Amino acid sequence: EEAEAGSPPSSEAAAPPVSPPSPFPDAAWWVHELVSVERGCVLLAQPGAIFPEQPLMHRAAVLVLEHSETRGTVGILLERPTNRTLASLLERKPDSNLSPFAKRPLMIGGNVLQPRRGIRVLTRRCDVAGGVQILYGLYECSPAAAKHMIAIGAARSDEFHFFAAAC
């Protein structure tokens, strides 16, 4: 749509594509017990549980990213911020895929380093190449795919969230 002559162009940016509205009008549908673990579920530590060997697990909420009967389960801790940004990680280990996100906060995803996976990236965007739906409206993508979205001007850096390690 063209602006009228003499009027300034609209400064409103188009909203990023995200998943369509939930097909579940009742918000209570998602809270239920599971017979087995599945991708997208959230595992909660028992309120009184103490983990002397794994203090990060105290009162933890873990979002399951992968589950397989043969390979096991991989998840990330929710609400475990660090006081660091990706810039501090890039100082030690430069990565051109992460450099556009240097100012983004780095979250603690867990206490298990996964060298072949590296940083886990989550987004609400459904249009990132190679993105895997974790649950309705939440996707995991590679740092390279996130960088590509920034490079072509299709996304902003604040639309991506970064998690070091997993659990």
Side-chain angles (χ1 to χ4, degrees), residues 79-89 91-92 102-108 162 164:
E79 298 300 320
R80 293 286 197 251
T82 67
N83 60 356
R84 307 276 183 178
T85 62
L86 284 173
S88 63
L89 179 69
E91 288 173 5
R92 291 182 288 140
K103 294 181 180 180
R104 297 291 299 141
L106 181 62
M107 303 292 286
I108 298 172
F162 300 86

Side-chain angles (χ1 to χ4, degrees), residues 14-20 121-135 137-141 145-146 148-150 152-161:
V18 294
S19 296
V121 183
L122 297 182
T123 184
R124 291 189 57 218
R125 297 190 67 100
C126 62
D127 60 341
V128 180
V132 174
Q133 185 173 9
I134 301 302
L135 57 88
L138 184 66
Y139 302 84
E140 182 177 14
C141 67
H148 177 72
M149 294 295 286
I150 300 297
I152 64 172
R156 299 181 321 270
S157 65
D158 65 352
E159 294 179 281
F160 299 94
H161 305 277

